[in-house]
């Protein structure tokens, strides 16, 4: 068959002159060069895409390597944190046991003299607070009464009224003291006579 094709190729050229054959070859060569250039451009584009993809893959590999290193560091840190948490949990458990023992020991102890004195002082403070509260209520009642009398027409300052009452009591006590001295002197005189 090769011989038949070769014979057919030579028979095409046998009927043509050299100029036409050269023109045909030139057209075929130009078309082949154009096809070659198109294919070369496609190959160049593919080559550029392959290079870009290779760079992208290298970048991904580098990032993956960085991630793996970071993951190892993170795992190491997590392990350290877990160890630290276990240590803290153990210390908290020990402290809890110690506190429970201290509380149990305190509940068995009898109160000391200082504790009893503190308790008595606290009760005394409560009693004094109650007494001061009563005195305050009494003074408020007295002030209200005096204010009510002042509203009835007496223009008396409540403080002045209290001072007047205290002065009156003082005068009465002074009179009683004077009379008791007189009686005491008379009794001494009678004893001497008898």
């Amino acid at each position: 068959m090769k011989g038949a094709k070769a014979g057919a190729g030579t028979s095409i050229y046998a009927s043509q002159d050299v100029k036409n054959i050269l023109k045909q070859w030139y057209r075929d060569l130009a078309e082949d060069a154009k096809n070659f250039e198109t294919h070369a451009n496609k190959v160049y584009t593919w080559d550029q895409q392959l290079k870009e993809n290779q760079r992208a893959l290298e970048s991904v590999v580098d990032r993956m390597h960085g991630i793996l290193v970071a993951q190892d560091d993170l795992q190491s840190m997590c392990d350290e944190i877990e160890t630290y948490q276990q240590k803290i949990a153990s210390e908290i458990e020990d402290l809890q046991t110690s506190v429970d023992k201290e509380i149990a020991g305190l509940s068995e102890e009898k109160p000391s003299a200082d504790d009893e004195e503190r308790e008595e002082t606290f009760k005394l403070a409560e009693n004094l607070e109650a007494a001061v509260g009563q005195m305050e209520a009494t003074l408020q009642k007295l002030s209200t009464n005096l204010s009510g009398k002042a509203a009835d027409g007496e223009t008396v300052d409540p403080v002045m009224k209290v001072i007047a009452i205290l002065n009156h009591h003082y005068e009465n006590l002074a009179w009683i003291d004077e009379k008791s001295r007189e009686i005491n002197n008379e009794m001494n005189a009678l004893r001497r006579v008898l």
Side-chain angles (χ1 to χ4, degrees):
M1 286 205 173
K2 281 187 178 180
K5 280 190 174 181
T10 45
S11 64
I12 293 173
Y13 294 124
S15 63
Q16 295 181 4
D17 62 351
V18 173
K19 187 177 179 181
N20 285 338
I21 293 174
L22 286 176
K23 282 183 183 179
Q24 182 64 37
W25 284 357
Y26 181 73
R27 280 194 300 267
D28 289 346
L29 183 62
E31 187 178 323
D32 287 345
K34 188 177 179 182
N35 286 338
F36 179 79
E37 186 178 352
T38 301
H39 290 304
N41 285 336
K42 285 182 182 178
V43 168
Y44 177 77
T45 302
W46 293 339
D47 186 51
Q48 293 302 317
Q49 287 177 346
L50 284 173
K51 287 179 182 178
E52 187 177 322
N53 290 343
Q54 183 179 4
R55 282 192 296 272
L57 283 173
E58 287 173 357
S59 174
V60 168
V61 167
D62 288 344
R63 278 193 260 149
M64 282 298 296
H65 180 70
I67 288 171
L68 290 174
V69 169
Q71 186 177 6
D72 288 344
D73 290 346
L74 184 62
Q75 183 63 41
S76 174
M77 287 171 38
C78 286
D79 291 343
E80 287 177 17
I81 289 171
E82 187 176 349
T83 303
Y84 185 67
Q85 283 179 332
Q86 289 172 352
K87 182 180 176 183
I88 288 175
S90 173
E91 288 178 5
I92 288 174
E93 190 176 316
D94 292 344
L95 284 173
Q96 183 66 36
T97 304
S98 175
V99 167
D100 289 343
K101 286 180 183 177
E102 286 291 324
I103 290 173
L106 288 175
S107 63
E108 293 173 2
E109 288 182 13
K110 293 182 181 178
S112 67
D114 291 339
D115 293 336
E116 289 175 4
E117 185 178 341
R118 235 185 328 272
E119 186 67 28
E120 288 175 17
T121 304
F122 180 72
K123 286 180 182 177
L124 179 62
E126 285 181 335
N127 292 338
L128 286 173
E129 186 177 350
V132 167
Q134 285 180 333
M135 289 173 72
E136 185 178 353
T138 303
L139 285 174
Q140 283 180 350
K141 281 183 185 178
L142 182 61
S143 175
T144 304
N145 288 341
L146 292 176
S147 295
K149 287 182 182 177
D152 292 340
E154 296 179 26
T155 55
V156 178
D157 184 16
V159 175
M160 295 306 290
K161 187 67 172 175
V162 170
I163 290 173
I165 292 170
L166 290 174
N167 283 337
H168 180 69
H169 282 284
Y170 178 74
E171 289 171 3
N172 286 338
L173 287 173
W175 181 80
I176 290 171
D177 185 48
E178 183 183 333
K179 291 299 177 187
S180 67
R181 280 189 197 147
E182 288 176 6
I183 292 172
N184 193 20
N185 288 337
E186 288 177 9
M187 291 286 286
N188 285 335
L190 282 172
R191 278 188 201 139
R192 282 185 226 144
V193 172
L194 296 171

